[in-house]
Amino acid sequence: MSALTSELRADAVSVQDDYLIRNPLAGIPYDVLVDNVANFAKDTNLTDISLLLRKGALVAQNPAEFESVEGLDETEREALRNEVLHKWRQPRALYLTVILCSIGAAVQGWDQTGSNGANLSFPAEFGILPVPGDVNEDRNNWIVGLVNSAPYIASALCGCWLSDPLNANFGRRGTIFVSAIFCLFPVIGSGFAQTWEQLFVCRLLLGIGMGCKASTVPVYAAENTPANIRGGLVMSWQLWTAFGIFLGFAANLILFQVGNIAWRLQVGSAFIPAVPLLVGIYFCPESPRWYIKKGRYAEAYKSLCRLRNTPLQAARDLYYIHAILHEEAAIIGKSNYITRFVELFTIPRVRRATLASFVVMIAQQMCGINIIAFYSSTVFVEAGASTKNALLASFGFGLVNFAFAWPAVRTIDTYGRRTLLLFTFPQMAWTLLAAGFSFYIPTSNKDAHLGVIALFIFLFAAFYSPGEGPVPFTYSAEVFPLSHREVGMSWAVATCLFWAAVLSLTFPRLLAAFTPQGAFGFYAGLNVIAFVMIFLFVPETKQRTLEELDYIFAVPTRTHMSYQLTKVLPWWFKRYILMDKNVGLEPLYQFDGVLADETEKLHVKS
């Protein structure tokens, strides 16, 4: 066993014993570290950058003391200072990669709202319009729900699970390219459907692309970005989804008066954002972590050089990633697809990530956002609005959803993923409950009736967008170890989209049975349940590198739950109810020489 492996194993034991989060390079003697780096450079045919690798390893070993590392020139030192003093000063290739790939999320948002507007007209064209009192009312409600849920059924049952073999064989970029094809042509086909069965099949094919894309794009973005801004950049997935929702509502409003083909244009126009994704993906660098997983270190270094400001930072990250993955491979070993899936529930560290990602993903459906995204036009018509006013109110919802997603670009890495969720879920609960009660306002006062309902739905969207909007995909993309990242993200996205399918399928019938008041009250209650689940099962991950999260998830779930109930809850009560400003909170984790933590200390010093 190498000195590096021994050191890492000792750290893993330390984490299990006292939850001390250690830098895997910390404590390794200088001579041993230099020898390890030299052997690594020789084994990976990177001897031409061996000096850079040595300097990078020394910086990674003690990030806060990089000024004392021998051999660094002033340009390299300035770049390291800027990591905390000007953390958003990143290479253009990094921003291009994240923005271009996240455009793919707009396909998902646009399709949701395209079907939202089309729900007002396509059922009548295909003879499946639910008419109250009609003998086929229940049947037609279920068919409309089935057509709307088709992409999410296909995503959950097929598309998400295809992402693992596609990633293994074609890489992140290749998988995104394949998904873009399925997000382009089936959408166009939807606009030409002649029966509801044809529309259903086209939307099933769309779901395959949506599942692959949603399972891969956040992982690709997370693997390319530095830890201290990863949340802000990866959440652009949600930002662009919100933008797609906004554009879809705008298209619905523009097209609803063009005649009988309005719904065809509404569902078909969602192909537009898939085009730049399809064309532009191969202008982006491949994930360096995927290259490392495949043993292609030279190509990983080239990718990192495009994604970091200096070759030193690229060399540092290359060796730091290798150091963690070396131990991970020694512990977990090699496995196939089926084995990796089973290990999501059998390996303790991976199981805890599986549980946490499951909670944040199912919470996105429990919060009720998609009853608005899928059926807002129907809800507003139920509230007495005309078709035009229903589409205008839906457009307002899309605008609020997009506008309030922007603050999360900064707050997700400042306040953290967990904090945003715990703050926003209670707000979503009361706003949904208020929206439901607003239906009791007499319809004789039509303006007040519709206006108050829209107000609380807009407030709901304003609380959703900076919290449960960006967090689930960002969180799920980062919590799994590299060995299980593809299948783990597939699990997380399948969870989200399966329950989106259930919601989309059942809401027309739920609305008919519960009335709007009961439906909104039901989802308000689910928000409360989701809040409790997040409080107990979701650890904080902000500003930790993807590799350091192995140590966060080494803490047993029972210990985490006990800490929240016996430490955090009493502290919160004393601090915010009794207003005791002097009460302190004992931390669960102790960070020792960890890269992200040390750079934060440097920021404080500066």
Side-chain angles (χ1 to χ4, degrees):
M1 184 183 296
S2 69
L4 175 60
T5 302
S6 299
E7 188 74 22
L8 286 169
R9 286 188 183 277
D11 283 344
V13 172
S14 174
V15 170
Q16 293 290 351
D17 290 343
D18 58 14
Y19 318 124
L20 181 64
I21 312 302
R22 297 182 186 272
N23 181 335
L25 302 178
I28 299 179
Y30 176 86
D31 292 340
V32 174
L33 182 60
V34 169
D35 286 343
N36 285 341
V37 173
N39 292 332
F40 167 74
K42 182 178 178 181
D43 294 341
T44 56
N45 295 318
L46 292 173
T47 52
D48 55 323
I49 61 165
S50 57
L51 179 59
L52 272 175
L53 288 169
R54 185 175 69 183
K55 292 192 292 184
L58 291 172
V59 170
Q61 185 180 43
N62 195 354
E65 304 298 329
F66 70 85
E67 298 281 3
S68 62
V69 174
E70 295 182 3
L72 297 186
D73 60 37
E74 186 54 33
T75 300
E76 292 169 335
R77 286 193 171 89
E78 184 65 20
L80 293 171
R81 294 184 197 112
N82 285 338
E83 286 186 329
V84 289
L85 300 178
H86 304 286
K87 66 180 182 179
W88 293 97
R89 191 177 294 172
Q90 300 293 336
R92 187 175 300 174
L94 176 62
Y95 286 114
L96 172 66
T97 298
V98 174
I99 292 172
L100 179 66
C101 292
S102 295
I103 289 174
V107 178
Q108 190 160 325
W110 198 322
D111 175 74
Q112 288 176 3
T113 49
S115 61
N116 185 313
N119 282 334
L120 299 178
S121 51
F122 88 81
E125 178 156 342
F126 292 149
I128 54 173
L129 181 67
V131 178
D134 186 83
V135 66
N136 291 320
E137 180 188 3
D138 285 348
R139 169 185 174 273
N140 290 344
N141 268 323
W142 285 113
I143 291 176
V144 171
L146 183 66
V147 172
N148 278 292
S149 66
Y152 309 101
I153 294 172
S155 294
L157 300 182
C158 181
C160 293
W161 303 108
L162 285 175
S163 68
D164 186 284
L166 286 173
N167 273 281
N169 290 287
F170 302 111
R172 309 287 190 244
R173 295 187 306 164
T175 303
I176 294 170
F177 179 80
V178 171
S179 69
I181 292 174
F182 278 91
C183 289
L184 176 61
F185 296 107
V187 171
I188 296 174
S190 297
F192 292 95
Q194 299 302 307
T195 65
W196 73 261
E197 292 90 347
Q198 292 177 7
L199 180 60
F200 175 70
V201 170
C202 286
R203 289 175 64 76
L204 283 176
L205 293 174
L206 168 65
I208 295 174
M210 286 172 57
C212 290
K213 172 170 56 63
S215 300
T216 303
V217 170
V219 170
Y220 179 57
E223 291 182 341
N224 284 349
T225 52
N228 60 340
I229 60 168
R230 185 179 64 243
L233 289 184
V234 177
M235 69 77 54
S236 62
W237 168 266
Q238 172 59 24
L239 183 64
W240 284 100
T241 299
F243 184 61
I245 290 173
F246 168 69
L247 291 180
F249 280 129
N252 290 343
L253 195 57
I254 293 169
L255 297 169
F256 87 98
Q257 287 184 318
V258 299
N260 293 334
I261 65 169
W263 74 266
R264 298 183 182 277
L265 297 177
Q266 288 168 341
V267 298
S269 60
F271 85 92
I272 294 172
V275 175
L277 180 67
L278 186 72
V279 174
I281 184 60
Y282 277 100
F283 293 98
C284 299
E286 181 57 271
S287 163
R289 285 175 173 84
W290 184 83
Y291 276 138
I292 291 173
K293 183 178 179 180
K294 295 297 182 180
R296 296 158 63 175
Y297 283 88
E299 291 165 286
Y301 175 69
K302 290 179 182 177
S303 279
L304 281 167
C305 284
R306 294 184 63 187
L307 296 166
R308 300 294 182 266
N309 287 311
T310 65
L312 171 69
Q313 292 165 300
R316 177 202 61 189
D317 289 355
L318 181 71
Y319 190 74
Y320 192 74
I321 295 168
H322 164 77
I324 294 287
L325 300 186
H326 177 81
E327 172 63 12
E328 182 184 292
I331 294 173
I332 297 176
K334 295 183 178 180
S335 58
N336 57 39
Y337 188 14
I338 302 300
T339 303
R340 289 196 300 277
F341 177 77
V342 172
E343 287 171 347
L344 291 179
F345 310 96
T346 57
I347 295 177
R349 179 263 181 265
V350 183
R351 184 175 63 242
R352 293 173 195 123
T354 302
L355 174 61
S357 65
F358 170 81
V359 169
V360 296
M361 281 297 195
I362 196 172
Q364 189 171 75
Q365 304 309 320
M366 293 172 71
C367 78
I369 185 64
N370 282 333
I371 66 174
I372 311 299
F374 296 167
Y375 292 109
S376 64
S377 298
T378 304
V379 168
F380 286 124
V381 167
E382 285 277 338
S386 65
T387 298
K388 180 180 179 180
N389 287 338
L391 292 174
L392 274 170
S394 295
F395 174 80
F397 162 78
L399 180 61
V400 171
N401 186 41
F402 177 54
F404 280 85
W406 280 99
V409 173
R410 288 191 175 272
T411 58
I412 196 169
D413 283 316
T414 304
Y415 297 107
R417 289 73 158 142
R418 175 184 167 86
T419 302
L420 288 177
L421 294 180
L422 292 177
F423 172 73
T424 54
F425 264 89
Q427 320 310 324
M428 289 190 289
W430 75 259
T431 51
L432 269 187
L433 192 62
F437 278 116
S438 298
F439 277 87
Y440 287 114
I441 296 174
T443 54
S444 57
N445 192 344
K446 190 173 182 179
D447 290 341
H449 180 79
L450 181 60
V452 174
I453 292 171
L455 170 65
F456 284 115
I457 288 177
F458 293 170
L459 284 173
F460 167 79
F463 286 119
Y464 166 83
S465 292
E468 184 60 15
V471 168
F473 283 87
T474 302
Y475 192 90
S476 299
E478 65 192 5
V479 296
F480 292 99
L482 182 59
S483 57
H484 293 71
R485 194 161 293 156
E486 294 94 341
V487 70
M489 191 62 181
S490 297
W491 154 264
V493 175
T495 297
C496 179
L497 298 183
F498 172 78
W499 290 104
V502 172
L503 183 153
S504 184
L505 178 64
T506 59
F507 189 72
R509 188 70 189 93
L510 183 73
L511 191 63
F514 280 25
T515 72
Q517 295 94 320
F520 278 74
F522 174 73
Y523 278 97
L526 291 182
N527 272 277
V528 176
I529 296 173
F531 173 85
V532 175
M533 293 167 62
I534 291 164
F535 181 76
L536 294 176
F537 300 122
V538 177
E540 183 56 80
T541 61
K542 71 167 183 173
Q543 297 190 2
R544 305 263 71 91
T545 70
L546 297 182
E547 291 69 40
E548 287 160 4
L549 292 177
D550 285 343
Y551 298 101
I552 296 289
F553 286 95
V555 176
T557 302
R558 183 175 300 176
T559 302
H560 183 268
M561 292 174 60
S562 176
Y563 174 78
Q564 302 305 322
L565 292 172
T566 62
K567 303 291 185 182
V568 175
L569 195 57
W571 168 83
W572 186 90
F573 181 82
K574 292 175 183 177
R575 175 65 184 85
Y576 294 104
I577 302 299
L578 302 181
M579 303 304 291
D580 182 358
K581 296 183 179 180
N582 297 318
V583 66
L585 176 63
E586 176 187 336
L588 176 60
Y589 312 111
Q590 301 290 334
F591 295 98
D592 180 25
V594 171
L595 184 59
D597 195 56
E598 292 300 316
T599 52
E600 183 63 26
K601 290 178 183 177
L602 176 62
H603 193 184
V604 172
K605 288 180 182 179
S606 301

